[in-house]
Amino acid sequence: MEPLSAFEIIRQVLVQFTSVWISLIVLFAFSLGFKRKLGLYGFVVETGTGFTGVLILGFWLFTAIFASRISPFDPLGQIVSMKDALPGTIEPISGLPYLFGGDKLARDVFSRMVFGSRIVLIIAPLATLLALSVGIMLGLPAGYFGKRIDSVLSFLANLILAFPIILLFYLLVSPGILETPIPYALAGVFFLFPILLLVTLFWSGYRSHPLQLGIRLVLTLLVGGWLFATFVFDRDPFHILRVSPSTLNIFAAVALASGPGIFRIVRGLTLDIKTREYVQAAQTRGETPWYIMLWEILPNARGPLIVDACLRIGYTTILIGALGYFGLGMPPESPDWGTAIKESSRLLRAFVHPALPPALAMMSFVLGLNLLADALREQSLKD
Amino acid sequence: MLNFLIRRLGVMALTMICLTFMVFYLVNLEPNLRKLAISQTEMHASDEHIESWLTRNGYRRAFIERYAAWIGVWPKKPNIDTETGKPVSRFSYCSEPAESVFAGVIQGDFGCSTKFKTKVAEKMLPALRATGLLMFWVMVTMVPVALFFGILSGMREGSKLDRTLSVVSIVTTSTPEYVSGVVLTIIFGTWLGWLNGSAASATGDGITFYNFTLPVITPAIYGMGYIARMTRASMIEVMTAQYIRTARLKGLGFYAVVVKHALRNALIAPFTVIMLLFPWLLTGVVIVEVMFRYQGFGLALVEAAGNNDIDLMLACSLVSVVLVLATQLISDVGYAWLNPRIRVQ
Amino acid sequence: MVEPILEIKNLCISFFTRAIEIPAVMDFSCTIMPGEAMGLVGESGCGKSTVALAILRDLARIGRITSGSIRFNGRDMATLDEAELTRIRGSEIAMVYQEPMASLNPTMKIGQQLTEVLFIHEKVSKAEAYARALEMVKAVRLPDPERMMRSYPHQLSGGQQQRIVIAMALLANPKLLILDEPTTALDVTVEAGIVELVKDLGKRFGTSMLFISHNLGLILETCDRVTVMYSGEAVETGPIDEVFGAVRHPYTQGLFRSMPLLGTNRNSSPLVPIPGQLPLPHERPNGCNFGPRCSYFVDGQCNKAVIDMLPAGSATHLSRCLRIEAIDWDAVAKSAVANVPTVIGDNLLEVHSLKKHYQVAASELFGGREARTVKAVEDVSFNAREAETVAIVGESGCGKSTLAKVLLGLELATGGTASFDTTYIQADPIDKRTTKLISSVQMIFQNPFDTLNPSYSVGSQIIRTLERFDIGSTTEERQNMMLELLDLVKLPRAFATRMPRQLSGGQKQRIGVARAFAGRPRMIIADEPMSALDVSVQAAITELLTNLQRNSRTTMLLISHDLSLVRYLSDRVIVMYLGHIVEQGTTDQIFQPPYHPYTEALLAAIPLADTKAKKRKVVLEGEIPSAMSPPPGCPFQTRCHLKSNVSGGLCETVVPPMRVLAEGHAIKCHLPTEVLDAMTPVIS
């Protein structure tokens, strides 16, 4: 069968993404229609950078959601005749084209790119959230109390920051380490932080309302406990989620790598905000330190933290890509972008097409995050 | 100032001990040691064999003693062959001292690389030289361009030039080395054929524009946007400062204000960033060296890690930690030097 | 005929945002003759700084002159090109700004920054430039000029920095000097020094001046003529004596009435605040901008058409008021009815030789350097009784805020005792105090823009306070109490759901007051509660506080540097210097001789907005020493101008004991009794 021409490829790709286009139209109709009621987000979408950022992120988000609908082939399936097939080659059995060609293991590059978005979109934000809760839980007391707590925590943070990340990854995500309890211990500690954060938050804020406090604590502990069991021990009592030890290890390593950075930002913001008079006012009415940190200081640090979280998800994406590129943590057949780039970059002289789609996907996703962060920063400064 | 330096060096030493201890612990984990023993004995060695190899070669001594011996503050005891009663080296390709002496990092003995079958120092020195060269060229291309872009766009915030440069720098910060490396190789190597997509020849034949441009440009692009954005932010902040208005109302023209009053103040923040960029550049260099097969430190690190080369891995960690701490120190000192408010205290 | 240096005619300036044009200055005219000093007064947001920047053509990018002209030295500023403009800036017109620290380049030495002016405008050699700069540093009376030239800005104190900025401005011998709130960020005694300097130099160099300030007293002391601005317009202008002596605009009159004059107090002559608020720039009323807040407002006359400046009494005294003739300008304000003085109750707070020292360590992890001690509060004893207002006066760094922190339990005392209602509280940190004690001692903060958490609504912040203090048992009950508190501070109940950013400074401060009074406190510590507010708002808050205190019989510790306010509000006064109480007594005793030399200097530093009052000159030399290395002997000896009257170097060696001069009046001073007795009043 004749391979598709360049024009036909483009047309077919656009068609494949139909569900994404529809979702994007709905998203923007909603965003622009209600922009005055959406607060900061409304202002962000209005700007050029913000619009582009949301567009790109929306594209990848919906791609991840509808991945199985968009991709014509199984991302792991090998169809021998399609080895190193050029873009547009028709797969003879199904009659469908390999839109972006096939890689050296005869898999569909297009489908792999589409499914790769799932891995990034799940791990990067979750790992950042994890690092964020660690950074907040440690950065707040370091900035607020200062003195010895600050010295010790800052020293620890600098210790980790002094570790070149690549070395950290080689040490922590190597296959050998999975035979030891270290990754589980590390992840166990990290996954404790979000639960700890929520418990402290509710405990300090609702102490005078026992009922509300009770409901929140029970909910936190139930959901937190379930997630903890699922992630750290891979023992989901309801058998809904599965997290392999190597994925867990990636979580732990990425959180460890970005935790200190967030810690420093939270600490700096706390140092600044704690001099405000409303913090003094809280002190003079006898509020507990944790109430002041979590309910008086943290809400006013949210602007810079959101911007930083945005940038950091992008950075985490790059880190995960690097892990894939070095073949660390991810299974070798994984369709994630980093692994795909590694696989294809060795054969660039012969075949270009398997390398470009994951590379451009990776770049555009990070670009979307950076654009959004930029727009957020600019708009929040205007207030 | 002296006080500051002494304190800083103290913290550095402590950091170094903590980090090397952690690394030493992680590379000497039981699975790694077993793997080493297996690779050094026959393939299907029994557990006893492995155990006896490990004991004979000193891997079963107390952990803290081995760490101290690696550092060089505890004598390294020779490994005695149980049959002959004579001292033997751990590996046939490296000679080791026959009597109990201090032979650790402090004495310049980094041990033996099992992957390259030579002394670690002999492998590391040329690799470091090669990487130093690469880093030098990366810095030389990246920093001036980035600063120039940052200053140009921060000088007049919101101008057309500013917007264009901002978009450029945002795009480059979104392009990690393994992406730009691939894209650039495709464009300049595969399609245009102007540049070589491999720097393997640089080790033997020396560097040329043809084989070295891509390895330099790739990490430079990623870092450039970051520095440029930092410089821009710093420049914008300075340009709205009151003393800039003072300078303007003194009667200085726009460019005189920028050059005489804004630049120095605006460069304080980027300077620290540039210095702190080294550890991060290290990661980039590793990627680039792997991608372009350039025989440097990064490739050595990857080979060491991939082949369970314990001594080489330790040496690589030590080098990177030293590099990071040194740049942090330079960054602090330089910050104090640039900023009189800190210096005089 | 002499040509004016500056002639502004019908100047209109607007700021253009994406959506609308916001007029900032409208129909502004003024002339400044050679050697003359013109004052420009107004509250924040009235457009006075915009005028200054327009003169130098340095408006923000969105600002534009829409009509009118500015002629400098006979030339229209609008016609100048970029090159001519840079030539005029710095050499013919120079400017001094509000924050001296921010206006000097932190990475350049003072000498470089000074000589630069000469290099730009004149062809001078390095040596000559240096010599002239040095000469100017001497002229602004800075000690050790050579060292100053080699210093970086941060090595100088705020007052010294401002002197440098003034030196820089005068270096090229400009014809016009614009001073934009040059002393706002400085302490009173430092301010007095700067004002003296500006006056002298103006005379010496024959420079014309445009002096912008919100402080009527400062203007009276420095200027020949004055222009009062309100909401973008000049409302009254004329020679200083005429304007201050015979006010002819209701707004100017309102300003004077809302300012406590020395010699008045809260009982005999309460302040009369200006009602309402400054209109937003795009919501200005028709006709007279001040109309909605004016008690002489006549519907149909004042709000009909644009009002021009009209002559008021003389050809040079103009006012933008249609009813100049109809208003009886000498009548006493309506609500200025005297109050019955409060009966002071029993002792509530007793502080006995309280000390607070801080350890400043170099580093926690590696304590390299030896720790140094900051003696923030050193041997302080006083008491405060129920329903009494005790003022604590002193300049920054005197320890008054630290004292407040110790009383609130935010810091622990190093020594001495403080008892509140017979309980010792000096060693109880706030988390060890009972809820009752915490709610009994509350605080009103200085900066209204900072006192409310921007993340929560006004109502929820008050309710949280009620919850903390265990007041009310149900949410509904607290909701009602919160609304009642809003009533109490005279804010509409609808404010409960507003966010702090939707409130003006005065409104925020009212919420601050409501929050402090939520727990029915027995003692309120008010830390500079008015200093960040405009004059007319100050008056309203002052009256609110006075009435609340009167009705609830709360004790108030008023921390302030504003002696006019202190005289007006307080029953007794404590003067602090470097952690010591140097003088204390009833308000009358403090404001009458004999004084402690420091009190004398403080009194002499108050800028008085009263043409009839005469003030003796006492200008303090030198700087406040650091609390880390206080001088031996008397803390004030390094700056005391009467030290020569004490023999034997007693001042340098021995800390003076507290001497009781009269019932309740004590001073910490070695001066012999005859010197003290011979003192004359500072203000007469």
Side-chain angles (χ1 to χ4, degrees):
Chain A
M1 251 182 287
E2 272 297 292
L4 302 182
S5 69
F7 174 73
E8 282 168 325
I9 291 175
I10 293 170
R11 203 192 59 190
Q12 192 54 39
V13 167
L14 290 178
V15 170
Q16 289 293 336
F17 279 113
T18 311
S19 39
V20 172
W21 305 136
I22 295 171
S23 313
L24 278 177
I25 289 168
V26 173
L27 172 71
F28 276 97
F30 177 79
S31 303
L32 295 175
F34 295 94
K35 65 184 173 194
R36 283 293 151 263
K37 290 186 184 147
L38 293 170
L40 184 61
Y41 172 78
F43 287 107
V44 166
V45 181
E46 258 189 315
T47 60
T49 40
F51 184 90
T52 322
V54 173
L55 184 75
I56 296 174
L57 293 183
F59 175 83
W60 285 115
L61 179 69
F62 294 127
T63 305
I65 292 173
F66 301 117
S68 39
R69 177 184 287 269
I70 297 165
S71 51
F73 293 93
D74 175 8
L76 303 181
Q78 305 179 1
I79 301 170
V80 186
S81 63
M82 302 300 282
K83 182 168 185 293
D84 294 328
L86 290 174
T89 313
I90 308 287
E91 198 269 318
I93 300 163
S94 62
L96 294 171
Y98 264 28
L99 287 167
F100 292 162
D103 62 10
K104 69 170 179 186
L105 291 175
R107 295 167 299 195
D108 179 24
V109 173
F110 178 76
S111 303
R112 286 177 68 73
M113 180 195 80
V114 168
F115 269 95
S117 66
R118 270 197 179 172
I119 296 172
V120 166
L121 261 96
I122 290 172
I123 299 185
L126 275 181
T128 309
L129 219 57
L130 200 60
L132 201 63
S133 55
V134 176
I136 288 173
M137 257 331 245
L138 298 180
L140 281 174
Y144 186 74
F145 294 115
K147 300 194 182 147
R148 188 132 300 179
I149 295 181
D150 184 25
S151 303
V152 171
L153 288 176
S154 292
F155 177 75
L156 285 178
N158 289 337
L159 204 64
I160 298 169
L161 283 174
F163 239 126
I165 284 166
I166 189 71
L167 191 66
L168 197 70
F169 283 170
Y170 262 115
L171 291 174
L172 284 181
V173 198
S174 62
I177 204 167
L178 284 178
E179 296 166 31
T180 68
I182 293 172
Y184 303 98
L186 202 60
V189 171
F190 279 145
F191 277 91
L192 218 49
F193 274 95
I195 303 176
L196 214 58
L197 178 67
L198 285 178
V199 169
T200 328
L201 185 77
F202 295 140
W203 178 256
S204 58
Y206 291 95
R207 236 185 327 183
S208 43
H209 304 274
L211 182 67
Q212 295 191 27
L213 174 67
I215 295 172
R216 285 176 169 82
L217 282 186
V218 167
L219 270 179
T220 310
L221 291 175
L222 279 180
V223 176
W226 169 59
L227 287 175
F228 195 81
T230 309
F231 275 85
V232 180
F233 301 112
D234 193 17
R235 298 253 163 75
D236 178 5
F238 310 108
H239 305 288
I240 303 170
L241 290 174
R242 285 228 53 202
V243 180
S244 71
S246 65
T247 317
L248 175 73
N249 207 1
I250 292 176
F251 267 112
V254 171
L256 187 67
S258 20
I262 299 177
F263 165 84
R264 295 232 295 212
I265 289 173
V266 175
R267 176 179 170 273
L269 287 168
T270 310
L271 278 176
D272 174 24
I273 296 175
K274 82 166 177 186
T275 60
R276 303 292 165 85
E277 282 179 353
Y278 54 80
V279 172
Q280 277 184 44
Q283 288 169 341
T284 55
R285 61 170 191 261
E287 301 284 7
T288 60
W290 277 104
Y291 175 86
I292 296 176
M293 284 184 255
L294 290 170
W295 293 88
E296 298 278 342
I297 295 178
L298 189 60
N300 295 302
R302 64 176 185 271
L305 278 184
I306 290 173
V307 171
D308 181 69
C310 237
L311 290 174
R312 213 161 275 279
I313 294 175
Y315 183 59
T316 308
T317 307
I318 291 178
L319 285 186
I320 296 169
L323 280 175
Y325 186 79
F326 287 111
L328 294 170
M330 303 282 181
E333 74 282 0
S334 154
D336 76 285
W337 298 333
T339 310
I341 294 172
K342 174 192 73 171
E343 293 291 311
S344 51
S345 67
R346 299 198 181 137
L347 305 156
L348 279 183
R349 273 183 219 217
F351 297 103
V352 164
H353 64 263
L356 269 182
L360 294 180
M362 166 75 81
M363 190 192 134
S364 66
F365 180 65
V366 179
L367 180 66
L369 283 163
N370 284 349
L371 287 174
L372 182 64
D374 219 43
L376 274 171
R377 174 167 30 213
E378 220 149 82
Q379 291 302 316
S380 61
L381 281 182
K382 271 188 191 167
D383 280 350
Chain B
M1 192 70 199
L2 192 70
N3 240 324
F4 163 79
L5 264 179
I6 291 172
R7 236 172 341 133
R8 201 73 187 70
L9 287 172
V11 177
M12 260 178 81
L14 188 64
T15 311
M16 199 109 106
I17 290 170
C18 290
L19 285 181
T20 49
F21 191 83
M22 261 152 56
V23 174
F24 196 83
Y25 176 74
L26 286 172
V27 295
N28 278 295
L29 282 173
E30 189 56 24
N32 294 348
L33 290 183
R34 284 181 64 89
K35 244 193 281 173
L36 175 75
I38 291 170
S39 69
Q40 292 305 315
T41 53
E42 316 89 79
M43 267 320 184
H44 300 287
S46 66
D47 278 359
E48 286 137 65
H49 252 92
I50 291 171
E51 202 49 45
S52 80
W53 189 90
L54 288 173
T55 318
R56 180 153 44 95
N57 287 299
Y59 289 103
R60 285 292 181 248
R61 292 202 185 110
F63 178 76
I64 193 79
E65 183 193 330
R66 286 196 294 134
Y67 175 68
W70 176 72
I71 297 267
V73 293
W74 194 264
K76 204 176 260 176
K77 293 201 189 85
N79 305 319
I80 307 296
D81 193 318
T82 38
E83 287 157 29
T84 60
K86 282 185 186 158
V88 286
S89 293
R90 277 183 300 165
F91 311 109
S92 53
Y93 31 84
C94 298
S95 62
E96 282 183 340
E99 62 265 22
S100 187
V101 285
F102 292 96
V105 170
I106 298 176
Q107 289 79 21
D109 187 344
F110 291 88
C112 188
S113 161
T114 50
K115 158 77 183 160
F116 295 98
K117 304 209 186 313
T118 173
K119 285 246 166 199
V120 167
E122 273 160 45
K123 171 69 195 160
M124 281 301 275
L125 279 178
L128 277 178
R129 204 173 301 129
T131 298
L133 196 66
L134 178 63
M135 275 189 160
F136 170 77
W137 280 108
V138 171
M139 280 296 183
V140 163
T141 37
M142 172 172 76
V143 174
V145 177
L147 291 182
F148 185 66
F149 278 15
I151 287 162
L152 271 191
S153 58
M155 200 165 74
R156 294 185 202 265
E157 192 196 356
S159 64
K160 208 166 260 171
L161 182 69
D162 174 30
R163 287 204 199 130
T164 321
L165 288 177
S166 292
V167 170
V168 170
S169 45
I170 251 191
V171 170
T172 62
T173 38
S174 314
T175 319
E177 296 90 352
Y178 50 88
V179 170
S180 57
V182 165
V183 174
L184 290 174
T185 310
I186 291 174
I187 297 174
F188 294 103
T190 313
W191 290 347
L192 297 172
W194 292 350
L195 300 168
N196 195 343
S198 160
S201 60
T203 319
D205 312 342
I207 58 168
T208 59
F209 184 77
Y210 180 65
N211 65 22
F212 212 52
T213 307
L214 284 178
V216 168
I217 293 288
T218 303
I221 280 184
Y222 185 30
M224 199 155 67
Y226 186 67
I227 301 176
R229 278 156 64 82
M230 201 55 94
T231 315
R232 173 181 179 266
S234 170
M235 190 72 188
I236 287 173
E237 199 190 311
V238 168
M239 285 306 281
T240 53
Q242 271 212 35
Y243 58 83
I244 292 298
R245 194 173 70 182
T246 311
R248 203 164 56 228
L249 297 188
K250 257 182 196 177
L252 278 173
F254 180 76
Y255 291 98
V257 169
V258 169
V259 173
K260 284 192 188 152
H261 289 264
L263 267 191
R264 177 164 174 185
N265 290 297
L267 286 182
I268 294 175
F271 174 79
T272 41
V273 170
I274 292 168
M275 275 301 143
L276 296 178
L277 219 56
F278 268 98
W280 169 86
L281 191 64
L282 211 62
T283 308
V285 161
V286 175
I287 293 175
V288 165
E289 288 185 4
V290 170
M291 180 173 271
F292 295 101
R293 312 302 305 165
Y294 181 68
Q295 295 291 334
F297 166 79
L299 206 54
L301 172 69
V302 172
E303 296 279 8
N307 295 287
N308 196 37
D309 189 341
I310 292 180
D311 285 357
L312 186 57
M313 189 74 179
L314 278 173
C316 286
S317 313
L318 190 69
V319 168
S320 23
V321 168
V322 168
L323 178 78
V324 170
L325 292 179
T327 49
Q328 280 181 359
L329 182 69
I330 295 174
S331 148
D332 280 2
V333 174
Y335 183 72
W337 177 73
L338 279 171
N339 195 343
R341 258 174 291 187
I342 308 270
R343 195 195 325 162
V344 188
Q345 271 170 13
Chain C
M1 190 183 150
V2 192
E3 283 287 313
I5 284 288
L6 185 75
E7 190 174 20
I8 303 177
K9 267 194 190 149
N10 311 102
L11 182 71
C12 293
I13 302 167
S14 288
F15 289 105
F16 293 87
T17 64
R18 239 180 277 174
I20 44 167
E21 171 186 349
I22 300 171
V25 175
M26 289 159 304
D27 188 28
F28 180 88
S29 305
C30 104
T31 44
I32 301 178
M33 305 304 283
E36 189 182 49
M38 165 65 100
L40 199 52
V41 198
E43 296 177 286
S44 49
C46 72
K48 51 193 196 299
S49 295
T50 311
V51 170
L53 292 175
I55 295 171
L56 280 155
R57 275 197 37 206
D58 194 53
L59 288 169
R61 229 180 309 166
I62 53 166
R64 215 170 63 218
I65 297 175
T66 47
S67 69
S69 68
I70 302 171
R71 295 180 78 80
F72 172 73
N73 221 2
R75 297 183 63 187
D76 190 344
M77 290 293 282
T79 61
L80 298 183
D81 63 22
E82 203 59 36
E84 288 171 301
L85 202 59
T86 48
R87 202 191 54 73
I88 284 187
R89 285 175 179 171
S91 70
E92 302 204 11
I93 311 177
M95 189 159 171
V96 174
Y97 326 83
Q98 186 167 350
E99 280 169 62
M101 182 67 198
S103 17
L104 292 170
N105 188 337
T107 57
M108 255 167 107
K109 287 185 177 160
I110 299 290
Q112 267 176 295
Q113 300 196 42
L114 286 172
T115 48
E116 191 183 24
V117 179
L118 293 170
F119 290 133
I120 300 168
H121 296 291
E122 294 167 45
K123 287 208 163 46
V124 288
S125 68
K126 258 196 176 151
E128 194 195 335
Y130 182 82
R132 277 176 61 185
L134 195 68
E135 200 53 42
M136 194 45 92
V137 174
K138 283 179 191 150
V140 294
R141 291 179 222 139
L142 279 170
D144 204 353
E146 281 89 1
R147 192 177 56 85
M148 286 288 159
M149 295 285 280
R150 285 195 308 272
S151 305
Y152 283 101
H154 68 273
Q155 293 166 295
L156 275 55
S157 72
Q160 291 173 335
Q161 286 167 353
Q162 196 60 301
R163 281 166 195 263
I164 291 292
V165 176
I166 291 171
M168 195 153 76
L170 291 175
L171 205 50
N173 210 354
K175 296 200 173 62
L176 176 66
L177 179 64
I178 301 173
L179 301 116
D180 188 358
E181 306 262 12
T183 58
T184 307
L186 306 173
D187 270 321
V188 260
T189 56
V190 182
E191 173 180 82
I194 298 279
V195 167
E196 271 300 307
L197 178 74
V198 167
K199 262 162 57 178
D200 282 3
L201 292 180
K203 278 201 200 95
R204 193 164 133 198
F205 295 101
T207 318
S208 304
M209 280 191 280
L210 180 64
F211 196 104
I212 299 172
S213 179
H214 65 279
N215 189 326
L216 290 164
L218 274 184
I219 296 285
L220 178 65
E221 288 192 0
T222 46
C223 299
D224 308 311
R225 290 197 303 128
V226 64
T227 301
V228 183
M229 284 188 82
Y230 176 77
S231 188
E233 288 178 329
V235 292
E236 185 167 4
T237 182
I240 199 112
D241 296 340
E242 283 184 42
V243 175
F244 277 60
V247 174
R248 283 298 174 269
H249 193 279
Y251 173 66
T252 324
Q253 188 184 45
L255 278 185
F256 278 108
R257 284 185 177 170
S258 50
M259 245 180 359
L261 293 176
L262 270 188
T264 63
N265 67 53
R266 64 196 149 143
N267 297 321
S268 66
S269 46
L271 300 180
V272 188
I274 303 176
Q277 281 191 66
L278 189 75
L280 292 173
H282 50 276
E283 290 171 0
R284 292 193 178 111
N286 267 340
C288 178
N289 279 345
F290 189 62
R293 301 175 71 184
C294 180
S295 54
Y296 308 112
F297 178 76
V298 173
D299 193 23
Q301 183 185 13
C302 297
N303 55 1
K304 218 166 115 199
V306 176
I307 300 165
D308 289 324
M309 293 294 269
L310 304 166
S314 73
T316 47
H317 187 180
L318 305 175
S319 165
R320 204 182 283 276
C321 181
L322 292 172
R323 308 194 63 231
I324 296 173
E325 304 302 327
I327 296 170
D328 175 9
W329 293 102
D330 297 323
V332 180
K334 260 184 226 143
S335 58
V337 187
N339 290 309
V340 186
T342 340
V343 182
I344 306 289
D346 297 333
N347 254 354
L348 185 66
L349 176 75
E350 275 178 64
V351 177
H352 188 69
S353 40
L354 196 73
K355 282 187 183 59
K356 175 67 197 174
H357 296 181
Y358 291 98
Q359 299 289 328
V360 186
S363 156
E364 285 291 327
L365 206 57
F366 296 94
R369 279 171 291 188
E370 78 281 21
R372 286 197 285 181
T373 312
V374 178
K375 295 178 177 170
V377 173
E378 183 76 5
D379 191 18
V380 161
S381 308
F382 69 97
N383 61 338
R385 287 169 288 183
E386 190 194 40
E388 188 181 35
T389 304
V390 177
I392 304 175
V393 177
E395 294 173 285
S396 49
C398 74
K400 50 193 197 301
S401 298
T402 309
L403 179 61
K405 280 190 176 161
V406 173
L407 295 179
L408 285 164
L410 299 180
E411 300 278 2
L412 297 186
T414 317
T417 60
S419 70
F420 179 80
D421 195 20
T422 69
T423 329
Y424 283 109
I425 57 169
Q426 76 280 353
D428 283 357
I430 190 125
D431 48 345
K432 295 271 159 48
R433 292 189 176 185
T434 59
T435 310
K436 187 163 165 286
L437 178 58
I438 292 174
S439 61
S440 302
V441 186
Q442 277 297 297
M443 173 124 179
I444 297 172
F445 293 90
Q446 174 172 14
N447 187 351
F449 298 93
D450 216 29
T451 181
L452 300 178
N453 192 325
S455 298
Y456 301 107
S457 74
V458 164
S460 69
Q461 298 196 42
I462 297 179
I463 289 180
R464 175 75 200 179
T465 312
L466 292 170
E467 258 172 34
R468 272 303 311 171
F469 293 162
D470 292 333
I471 295 170
S473 43
T474 61
T475 315
E476 293 75 44
E477 201 179 325
R478 289 188 188 122
Q479 179 77 21
N480 282 330
M481 293 173 109
M482 179 267 291
L483 294 174
E484 280 163 21
L485 278 167
L486 286 181
D487 296 342
L488 193 68
V489 295
K490 301 199 177 68
L491 284 176
R493 289 189 164 202
F495 273 40
T497 52
R498 298 249 178 114
M499 296 305 272
R501 65 167 180 278
Q502 297 168 290
L503 270 57
S504 72
Q507 290 165 340
K508 281 184 198 167
Q509 196 61 309
R510 281 171 194 269
I511 301 290
V513 171
R515 196 173 53 183
F517 274 91
R520 295 178 200 120
R522 300 182 58 198
M523 181 166 86
I524 290 271
I525 301 175
D527 187 358
E528 307 264 12
M530 321 296 171
S531 66
L533 301 171
D534 275 322
V535 179
S536 61
V537 184
Q538 276 183 20
I541 302 284
T542 308
E543 284 314 292
L544 175 72
L545 261 183
T546 319
N547 291 331
L548 280 178
Q549 190 200 7
R550 196 190 308 277
N551 298 335
S552 59
R553 295 187 57 76
T554 309
T555 306
M556 182 152 76
L557 289 190
L558 174 74
I559 297 175
S560 181
H561 67 273
D562 182 349
L563 282 172
S564 317
L565 181 77
V566 165
R567 170 119 213 211
Y568 175 78
L569 266 182
S570 53
D571 302 303
R572 283 194 300 124
V573 180
I574 292 167
V575 182
M576 281 186 78
Y577 186 82
L578 265 191
H580 291 263
I581 291 183
V582 293
E583 182 171 6
Q584 62 173 309
T586 64
T587 308
D588 286 336
Q589 285 167 340
I590 295 288
F591 283 79
Q592 298 295 330
Y595 310 108
H596 185 280
Y598 179 60
T599 316
E600 190 185 13
L602 276 181
L603 281 173
I606 319 174
L608 289 178
D610 188 347
T611 43
K612 287 174 224 101
K614 288 275 173 296
K615 211 165 67 176
R616 191 150 57 83
K617 196 153 73 171
V618 184
V619 173
L620 278 191
E621 298 298 332
E623 303 286 326
I624 301 180
S626 152
M628 234 181 283
S629 51
C634 174
F636 189 59
Q637 51 113 335
T638 51
R639 300 172 75 195
C640 186
H641 62 290
L642 295 174
K643 198 167 74 174
S644 54
N645 292 311
V646 179
S647 55
L650 210 54
C651 295
E652 282 96 348
T653 48
V654 183
V655 180
M658 212 62 188
R659 268 159 74 187
V660 178
L661 296 181
E663 169 76 43
H665 187 201
I667 72 171
K668 206 176 237 181
C669 188
H670 285 305
L671 281 177
T673 318
E674 56 275 19
V675 178
L676 290 174
D677 286 344
M679 278 185 175
T680 55
V682 173
I683 299 153
S684 48

